[in-house]
Amino acid sequence: MVIIDSTSITAYIPLMALGAFLSFYGVHLLDKKMRDSIGSIIDAFTNVHPRLSPAILETNLLAQDELEKLNKIILGLQQSNNQYQLVFGATPDCILLVNKSLEIVLANDAAADILGYQPEELQGQSVDLFLPEKMHASHRHLAQQFMNNPIAKGMGHRPILEVIAKDGHLVAVEISLNPLPAPNNDKIAVVIRDARQRSEYQNRIQHLLHYDTLTELPNRRLFEDRLNQAISRADKHQQQVNLVIIGLDGFKTINDVLGHEVGDQVLSTIAARLTDHLESHRTVARIGGDEFAIVSEDPNSPHVMPVLLERITAAVVKPIREAGQTLKLTASLGIATYPIDADNGRDLLKNADIALMQAKQAGRGKFNFYNSEISPEIKDKLEIDNQLRHALAKSECKVHYQPIVELESQKIVAAEALLRWNNSKLGQVPPDRFIPVAENNGLIRDLDQWTRRMAFSHAQFWAQDGKAIAVSVNVSAVDFEQTSLAHDIIQIIKNSELDPSMVSLEITESMLMKDPEHASDALQLLRNSGIKVAIDDFGTGYSCLAHLQTFPVNRLKIDRAFVSNMLKDANAKKIIAAIISLAHTLDMEVVAEGIETEPQRQELINMGCKLGQGYLFYAPMPADQFTELIAKQQQDADIDTAMH
């Protein structure tokens, strides 16, 4: 500790310096007790006469006592200052002290990391240094207004701003302005936070929200926004907007036969070609699995559309070399024009979709302009699409159950969960009418997930009630393609507290063969969790026995087409016999579907088939009716046990 001698005249000088120090760095920052102590010291020394005499001895003794207190205060200030310097230097935010002339008085080390300047380079510089020259005048005007009435605030209308770094590059930052209290109220503290990582993250999120991850084209959301903007401009300039929907013909076959990796390459190639073949003022977007859309703002001229359609066709029909094969594609085109065919973007898109459906009906490689006279088939699909979008919200969907029985005893051992839709306008809609529409518009995933949740919930209820019955649920091709499917199903089962061994998932052969590696991984994960897997409609699709023996499959289901013909078609009977033999060889169960007559049941028993389902036994029924059925079966079994 430094001891100041009150008998020395030099003691007055450091005290004066201390007063200046405290005045500059802000005595207001200290608590009241400390301010009072410093005031007492300064007052005491102000009253001290330079010459010592007995008359003033008491005063000097008092000053000496106050000086000891002062030394403690100085030490405390030194420690506080050291801590302040540590924090000021260590903070990752750039802190600038700026005066009323908008000159930088002080900067911390973070200025080098964020802005590229060393602190000493910034001292005396104007804050205009970080702004484009064209903004200097307006910025100074706003800055002076703020300095005249400083209030702590963030800077700018957006959360992230851009400033110019030393190397000339723009840096994304967040800036806050913080006025200082007296006696430094002629300065403000400018805190600059590095927002580059956050800005990149936000930009990435925005990109994912508005662009297709495969083709990098605008997605449906951005497409619809640009369509509406184009219509607004068309109204202003008295022009028209042509909307073309492109549907690749037979693309599903490419995915099924060559796999999704090849399909993705084809889509990327078509996207690049469309972009290259069309002018920049036309928006090219991917709005569906194999569908693209083009928004073209054109003058009212009959020559525009033929040229546009020719360029689109040229981009599609050029052969594509993938997977060692030359692929030749065609596309169906649906065209609608604003304001001729619709007065808003939503209806224009709907009418272009209708035109596309009409083009597809005419055959591959056709185009069609919207016609208000819609065929009954297309009108039906559009109505189903519209009503289906609200089916779950309106509680119009139900899960029905068709029992699976032991063929000999006809005892119910399991049930297949089947989605049913009863619409207030359309009535009972058969699955073969609404499932294809749901697969096309993307609603199938929501329907699949809802069906699974309901089926697992019902199964858990039956198990808790002492009537444990295994349930089978179908998985759509669209859902099976999702990499998260297995994890999602496992989580739903956990949430329902259902024993996984009571669940069987039904998938088709073609779904397995689209991507055997993905299928094997997903099925193995399900199998490891105790969930069973069945191949539905076995024998109707393309399969490879080499893959089949490696897939973790528990059950094969014989398609109803073979069962219905087995007594009158020798080949159908031979196929059934081969499937049963194959299943037994691979230690799999066999379930025959579509059993409708007693002779069919007997013949299947003779061939070694143990399980079956069909209208001979039970039709699909609501959950409450099925609950009563298995309760009666349980009651009959209890009576039979008691009697024996």
Side-chain angles (χ1 to χ4, degrees), residues 314-483:
V316 175
V317 299
K318 183 179 178 181
I320 298 175
R321 185 73 179 172
E322 284 291 344
Q325 299 188 43
T326 300
L327 306 177
K328 296 181 179 180
L329 279 71
T330 59
S332 300
L333 310 180
I335 306 108
T337 301
Y338 174 88
I340 299 171
D341 299 321
D343 58 5
N344 60 73
R346 183 187 61 186
D347 290 342
L348 189 67
L349 178 57
K350 182 185 72 173
N351 292 342
D353 274 329
I354 293 172
L356 176 61
M357 290 184 190
Q358 293 170 329
K360 285 181 177 291
Q361 282 188 324
R364 290 171 175 256
K366 306 295 183 180
F367 65 85
N368 190 73
F369 289 88
Y370 171 72
N371 188 328
S372 58
E373 296 181 5
I374 307 173
S375 68
E377 181 183 353
I378 292 177
K379 188 174 183 180
D380 180 64
K381 287 182 178 179
L382 290 172
E383 187 62 40
I384 289 175
D385 182 287
N386 182 53
Q387 295 294 327
L388 190 59
R389 293 181 184 276
H390 311 287
L392 291 178
K394 292 182 177 180
S395 300
E396 294 179 343
C397 293
K398 303 294 180 185
V399 178
H400 286 200
Y401 295 90
Q402 184 172 37
I404 298 173
V405 304
E406 291 180 348
L407 291 182
E408 289 197 18
S409 66
Q410 300 191 39
K411 174 186 175 183
I412 299 172
V413 294
E416 180 179 359
L418 300 167
L419 179 63
R420 294 294 183 260
W421 177 34
N422 188 5
N423 179 251
S424 57
K425 182 176 181 180
L426 302 175
Q428 191 73 39
V429 185
D432 59 359
R433 281 182 64 197
F434 74 83
I435 293 297
V437 175
E439 289 178 335
N440 185 59
N441 64 18
L443 289 175
I444 191 64
R445 288 200 66 202
D446 292 336
L447 295 174
D448 274 356
Q449 291 173 2
W450 181 86
T451 302
R452 284 195 288 268
R453 285 196 298 268
M454 294 301 296
F456 298 161
S457 177
H458 289 153
Q460 173 62 5
F461 170 77
W462 297 325
Q464 288 179 336
D465 202 33
K467 301 182 289 288
I469 289 289
V471 292
S472 296
V473 292
N474 293 281
V475 178
S476 69
V478 174
D479 219 7
F480 192 70
E481 293 171 4
Q482 307 303 314
T483 56

Side-chain angles (χ1 to χ4, degrees), residues 606-619:
N606 295 336
M607 297 172 71
C609 184
K610 305 293 185 182
L611 304 173
Q613 65 186 109
Y615 281 82
L616 174 64
F617 312 107
Y618 304 99

Side-chain angles (χ1 to χ4, degrees), residues 458-520:
H458 289 153
Q460 173 62 5
F461 170 77
W462 297 325
Q464 288 179 336
D465 202 33
K467 301 182 289 288
I469 289 289
V471 292
S472 296
V473 292
N474 293 281
V475 178
S476 69
V478 174
D479 219 7
F480 192 70
E481 293 171 4
Q482 307 303 314
T483 56
S484 63
L485 174 68
H487 294 282
D488 293 343
I489 291 175
I490 292 170
Q491 188 59 51
I492 294 174
I493 292 175
K494 286 182 179 179
N495 293 342
S496 66
E497 300 181 349
L498 178 64
D499 181 355
S501 66
M502 303 301 292
V503 174
S504 178
L505 300 179
E506 297 191 5
I507 58 179
T508 64
E509 292 172 271
S510 58
M511 289 161 56
L512 289 175
M513 301 314 300
K514 281 183 181 179
D515 188 347
E517 185 177 350
H518 161 67
S520 181

Side-chain angles (χ1 to χ4, degrees), residues 596-625:
E596 297 183 353
T597 68
E598 180 60 25
Q600 290 173 347
R601 181 179 81 92
Q602 289 296 337
E603 189 62 31
L604 287 166
I605 292 173
N606 295 336
M607 297 172 71
C609 184
K610 305 293 185 182
L611 304 173
Q613 65 186 109
Y615 281 82
L616 174 64
F617 312 107
Y618 304 99
M621 62 190 73
D624 54 353
Q625 186 177 336

Side-chain angles (χ1 to χ4, degrees), residues 157-412:
H157 300 292
R158 296 172 298 167
I160 295 180
L161 305 173
E162 289 185 325
V163 297
I164 302 174
K166 184 178 180 179
D167 61 6
H169 288 90
L170 293 176
V171 179
V173 296
E174 296 175 277
I175 299 178
S176 64
L177 308 178
N178 305 275
L180 299 179
N184 293 309
N185 53 358
D186 60 338
K187 303 176 184 66
I188 61 169
V190 180
V191 180
I192 302 176
R193 175 163 294 175
D194 191 342
R196 281 172 288 193
Q197 187 173 7
R198 178 183 167 193
S199 177
E200 290 172 3
Y201 177 75
Q202 289 181 341
N203 290 339
R204 180 60 180 161
I205 292 297
Q206 288 300 312
H207 188 83
L208 291 173
L209 286 173
H210 295 98
Y211 288 87
D212 176 54
T213 55
L214 175 64
T215 63
E216 292 297 321
L217 293 177
N219 61 15
R220 193 179 189 94
R221 175 184 295 193
L222 182 56
F223 155 75
E224 290 178 353
D225 179 68
R226 290 189 178 178
L227 175 61
N228 291 327
Q229 291 183 31
I231 288 174
S232 296
R233 287 190 292 269
D235 288 339
K236 182 178 180 180
H237 300 293
Q238 298 299 306
Q239 290 185 329
Q240 65 185 26
V241 176
N242 291 306
L243 173 59
V244 183
I245 305 296
I246 306 166
L248 301 181
D249 297 324
F251 182 75
K252 186 176 183 298
T253 303
I254 295 177
N255 272 341
D256 290 347
V257 176
L258 300 180
H260 285 265
E261 185 175 348
V262 174
D264 288 348
Q265 288 296 326
V266 170
L267 290 173
S268 297
T269 300
I270 295 298
R273 288 180 182 176
L274 289 172
T275 303
D276 292 341
H277 280 63
L278 302 176
E279 296 88 343
S280 59
H281 72 275
R282 288 172 168 147
T283 294
V284 182
R286 184 187 178 202
I287 61 172
D290 61 356
E291 289 189 358
F292 297 87
I294 295 173
V295 178
S296 181
E297 301 174 57
D298 302 302
N300 300 327
S301 169
H303 306 294
V304 172
M305 187 53 63
V307 175
L308 176 60
L309 296 181
E310 182 180 349
R311 290 180 179 178
I312 294 172
T313 302
V316 175
V317 299
K318 183 179 178 181
I320 298 175
R321 185 73 179 172
E322 284 291 344
Q325 299 188 43
T326 300
L327 306 177
K328 296 181 179 180
L329 279 71
T330 59
S332 300
L333 310 180
I335 306 108
T337 301
Y338 174 88
I340 299 171
D341 299 321
D343 58 5
N344 60 73
R346 183 187 61 186
D347 290 342
L348 189 67
L349 178 57
K350 182 185 72 173
N351 292 342
D353 274 329
I354 293 172
L356 176 61
M357 290 184 190
Q358 293 170 329
K360 285 181 177 291
Q361 282 188 324
R364 290 171 175 256
K366 306 295 183 180
F367 65 85
N368 190 73
F369 289 88
Y370 171 72
N371 188 328
S372 58
E373 296 181 5
I374 307 173
S375 68
E377 181 183 353
I378 292 177
K379 188 174 183 180
D380 180 64
K381 287 182 178 179
L382 290 172
E383 187 62 40
I384 289 175
D385 182 287
N386 182 53
Q387 295 294 327
L388 190 59
R389 293 181 184 276
H390 311 287
L392 291 178
K394 292 182 177 180
S395 300
E396 294 179 343
C397 293
K398 303 294 180 185
V399 178
H400 286 200
Y401 295 90
Q402 184 172 37
I404 298 173
V405 304
E406 291 180 348
L407 291 182
E408 289 197 18
S409 66
Q410 300 191 39
K411 174 186 175 183
I412 299 172

